[in-house]
Amino acid sequence: MSDEAPGETPRALDDELRGLEDGRAQELSLSAAPRSACPLGICDGSGFVIDEESDVAADCRCRAGRIASARTSTLEGRIPRRYQGVGFDRPPVSDIARSAPDQIASVRRYVRRIEENLDRGRGLWLQGDVGTGKTTLAMLVSKAALAAGRSVAIYSLPRLLNLLREAMDSQEGKLDFLDRLTSIDLLHIDDLGAEYRTDWVLEQLYSIVNARYEAQRAIVATTNLMPDELSERLGARTVSRLVEICGDLIPLFGADKRREFRPA
Ligand SMILES: Nc1ncnc2c1ncn2[C@@H]1O[C@H](COP(=O)(O)OP(=O)(O)O)[C@@H](O)[C@H]1O
Ligand SMILES: [Mg+2]
């Protein structure tokens, strides 16, 4: 079963990802996050507690979480609504597990050691036709990373490139954006290959992937390109770095499950 309403199209995710952020690159400032109450009820919302006697400030226990969420709230670090309820033991993942047990086992193994995998800059990439569950499985990984208190940024590739385009008004803008993309624990790129292939696109994709490769930072990605199309469509240098980060592609097969729920 799917929770997807009849008649919805794959565009819906992209719209939803786009809706996560108003999309101005200059708004992606880490310091702009508004101060919120201490979730533990300890500090005044500043992330610090002052020892009254010595007048010395110490980190509040909420501070690590605040830093992680400040980093992600300005990048797109939230699970889109459609995928918020994803879990291994419920549909559609439990359905996918019946037809693709090995693939689900690989994702489960990765998620079980999410902290170690992120620390080592190891990722995953999922490949298959439209509607085979790639995005669903990638969201499981992002959800696990967020649950472990890690910073995550989730983009479709077209959207990521649009933000980069906006940031590129200046060379510093581009470097700053790449720096921020590199500093998060997990970069989630949905739909690699869904962008027209131009020299500019190949170059930017390479900058993003290479920056993370050099910093040993993890990537989770999905693509509907076939293995033999990857180099041609994404560039050989980018693909070889993705293979190093993500290991072998996890292939998903089958009919477009979105279609099955569409009215005739
Ligand atoms: N094997 C499956 N069994 C049942 N539903 C599935 C299966 N794979 C995907 N779905 C459903 O199909 C829709 C598309 O899944 P999604 O993960 O977005 O696919 P993709 O990213 O591969 O295009 C979702 O509503 C999902 O719940
Ligand atoms: Mg998808």
Side-chain angles (χ1 to χ4, degrees):
M1 269 296 288
S2 159
D3 60 1
E4 182 149 52
E8 284 198 64
T9 67
R11 286 205 55 73
L13 166 66
D14 211 47
D15 293 343
E16 194 158 359
L17 288 175
R18 196 173 294 119
L20 288 175
E21 172 86 33
D22 293 321
R24 298 279 97 74
Q26 62 268 28
E27 283 171 18
L28 295 178
S29 145
L30 295 183
S31 56
R35 181 184 284 197
S36 55
C38 176
L40 307 172
I42 301 172
C43 71
D44 61 1
S46 62
F48 295 102
V49 278
I50 311 285
D51 181 83
E52 298 218 331
E53 260 170 43
S54 60
D55 208 24
V56 172
D59 285 358
C60 178
R61 275 192 282 128
C62 73
R63 193 165 144 72
R66 271 174 197 285
I67 291 170
S69 74
R71 279 157 137 189
T72 55
S73 66
T74 50
L75 296 168
E76 287 169 33
R78 272 175 292 158
I79 305 293
R81 197 152 41 95
R82 175 182 314 286
Y83 298 95
Q84 277 171 6
V86 291
F88 282 103
D89 300 321
R90 66 183 91 115
V93 181
S94 50
D95 298 326
I96 300 172
R98 255 175 271 130
S99 56
D102 296 345
Q103 290 86 331
I104 298 293
S106 300
V107 178
R108 212 189 256 276
R109 256 196 313 278
Y110 182 91
V111 163
R112 224 176 254 143
R113 299 182 162 226
I114 187 89
E115 301 243 32
E116 182 190 336
N117 283 321
L118 295 178
D119 289 341
R120 297 192 172 191
R122 286 195 293 237
L124 274 188
W125 54 341
L126 299 143
Q127 177 258 330
D129 279 336
V130 173
T132 51
K134 302 178 297 294
T135 299
T136 304
L137 295 181
M139 290 295 171
L140 272 177
V141 171
S142 285
K143 198 176 162 185
L146 287 167
R150 299 308 188 96
S151 51
V152 180
I154 306 173
Y155 296 99
S156 68
L157 180 62
R159 167 116 179 98
L160 181 54
L161 293 174
N162 273 340
L163 288 177
L164 191 61
R165 240 176 233 122
E166 287 177 18
M168 279 180 75
D169 289 346
S170 65
Q171 184 64 13
E172 301 88 74
K174 178 185 171 185
L175 291 178
D176 181 55
F177 186 74
L178 284 179
D179 269 359
R180 242 157 328 122
L181 271 187
T182 306
S183 76
I184 50 173
D185 294 315
L186 178 64
L187 177 61
H188 176 158
I189 311 177
D190 201 67
D191 258 342
L192 274 178
E195 177 83 11
Y196 287 116
R197 179 195 182 288
T198 65
D199 286 347
W200 188 87
V201 165
L202 291 190
E203 199 49 45
Q204 302 320 317
L205 183 60
Y206 177 73
S207 308
I208 293 165
V209 171
N210 188 52
R212 292 197 62 86
Y213 173 77
E214 288 184 345
Q216 288 194 291
R217 294 294 211 159
I219 293 176
V220 57
T222 69
T223 184
N224 58 10
L225 296 173
M226 295 301 287
D228 62 356
E229 296 175 306
L230 290 170
S231 288
E232 155 69 17
R233 292 287 301 279
L234 304 177
R237 293 180 306 166
T238 299
V239 172
S240 91
R241 277 156 186 73
L242 280 170
V243 172
E244 283 214 34
I245 296 171
C246 301
D248 291 335
L249 281 163
I250 299 177
L252 291 162
F253 307 99
D256 180 351
K257 289 294 190 278
R258 283 192 195 89
R259 283 174 176 280
E260 294 180 14
F261 299 98
R262 257 181 230 158

